[in-house]
Amino acid sequence: KQEVTQIPAALSVPEGENLVLNCSFTDSAIYNLQWFRQDPGKGLTSLLLIQSSQREQTSGRLNASLDKSSGRSTLYIAASQPGDSATYLCAVAGGATNKLIFGTGTLLAVQP
Amino acid sequence: DVKVTQSSRYLVKRTGEKVFLECVQDMDHENMFWYRQDPGLGLRLIYFSYDVKMKEKGDIPEGYSVSREKKERFSLILESASTNQTSMYLCATLRGSGNTIYFGEGSWLTVV
């Protein structure tokens, strides 16, 4: 059974710092991996989608990498800003059912 | 932009009541999902549907049922609400496979 883990559970950094969020999964037979942002009391917003054949995806200050063989993905945020404060979740999709298995998220606080 | 609308943002219901949570999407997507999100447990899949009148159980279907009579609408039904169903419920939609998934804003349900 696929399990997705995110470490750390919470992270606090000063503004301007570059940071890395980690996601690991136990079954490497994934279809794709997505990173999401969730603001308090809100739904999830998709940030980046990496297909299983890809190694990384970039969007603005965000870069996500995928290493299927080791069961790991990282989300790199450059030059962090207070507006980046949110919970970041990763999810993997496997098989034809399109079911997503989510990690429990990393709560990020960027201090001004 | 894809729009996923959950009509009820905040509900308070009594134990034993029948509860309907409605979700409507405007992008003609085949796949729709219902998740619940609880602190420390992350998002867990309740039910999903890959076509009209089609449904499949997710990881925690007990105590829930769903209805998909039209492609754009996916309803989650709690036949007899219980206090352990107090949670945030998230609806999501996906076109085909391997694509970005879109979430609604969530419905906060409190069962007293």
Side-chain angles (χ1 to χ4, degrees):
Chain A
K1 181 184 173 186
Q2 179 75 271
E3 292 183 3
V4 181
T5 305
Q6 291 185 249
I7 295 174
L11 180 65
S12 180
V13 300
E15 182 177 3
E17 196 164 292
N18 302 325
L19 59 100
V20 174
L21 306 180
N22 297 293
C23 173
S24 61
F25 46 95
T26 55
D27 186 350
S28 62
I30 64 169
Y31 203 70
N32 61 46
L33 183 145
Q34 296 188 53
W35 282 93
F36 297 87
R37 171 187 172 133
Q38 185 177 30
D39 293 298
K42 301 283 191 176
L44 279 68
T45 300
S46 181
L47 297 172
L48 289 164
L49 167 66
I50 311 176
Q51 304 292 354
S52 62
S53 58
Q54 297 175 321
R55 296 284 293 185
E56 65 177 336
Q57 282 285 337
T58 298
S59 176
R61 293 182 295 109
L62 306 179
N63 175 275
S65 69
L66 174 64
D67 183 343
K68 271 180 52 178
S69 60
S70 66
R72 293 183 183 184
S73 176
T74 60
L75 179 66
Y76 174 84
I77 303 177
S80 58
Q81 303 170 357
D84 295 330
S85 299
T87 297
Y88 290 82
L89 298 102
C90 69
V92 297
T97 62
N98 294 313
K99 286 171 58 175
L100 285 179
I101 307 297
F102 283 83
T104 51
T106 294
L107 177 61
L108 173 66
V110 180
Q111 308 298 333
Chain B
D1 274 358
V2 175
K3 192 163 187 181
V4 183
T5 303
Q6 294 183 232
S7 54
S8 301
R9 288 280 284 141
Y10 302 96
L11 304 94
V12 180
K13 298 292 182 180
R14 294 194 179 277
T15 299
E17 274 194 77
K18 190 169 186 176
V19 181
F20 291 87
L21 299 179
E22 303 284 339
C23 177
V24 177
Q25 51 105 354
D26 65 356
M27 287 301 291
D28 201 36
H29 288 178
E30 301 89 351
N31 302 287
M32 297 187 76
F33 307 82
W34 274 106
Y35 288 87
R36 64 177 283 179
Q37 185 177 27
D38 301 287
L41 296 176
L43 276 84
R44 293 178 292 167
L45 181 63
I46 305 171
Y47 265 98
F48 65 102
S49 168
Y50 49 89
D51 203 348
V52 176
K53 297 189 186 292
M54 305 300 287
K55 59 184 179 184
E56 288 209 17
K57 293 179 180 179
D59 299 318
I60 51 163
E62 296 78 20
Y64 303 94
S65 63
V66 290
S67 172
R68 192 161 182 206
E69 296 296 319
K70 294 184 178 181
K71 194 173 186 179
E72 67 270 19
R73 188 180 299 269
F74 191 36
S75 303
L76 181 68
I77 304 159
L78 287 68
E79 294 290 342
S80 178
S82 63
T83 55
N84 63 14
Q85 292 178 310
T86 292
S87 186
M88 179 169 179
Y89 291 86
L90 288 160
C91 174
T93 180
L94 172 72
R95 177 182 306 168
S97 60
N99 295 312
T100 299
I101 189 168
Y102 296 91
F103 280 85
E105 286 287 277
S107 298
W108 288 93
L109 172 66
T110 301
V111 183
V112 298

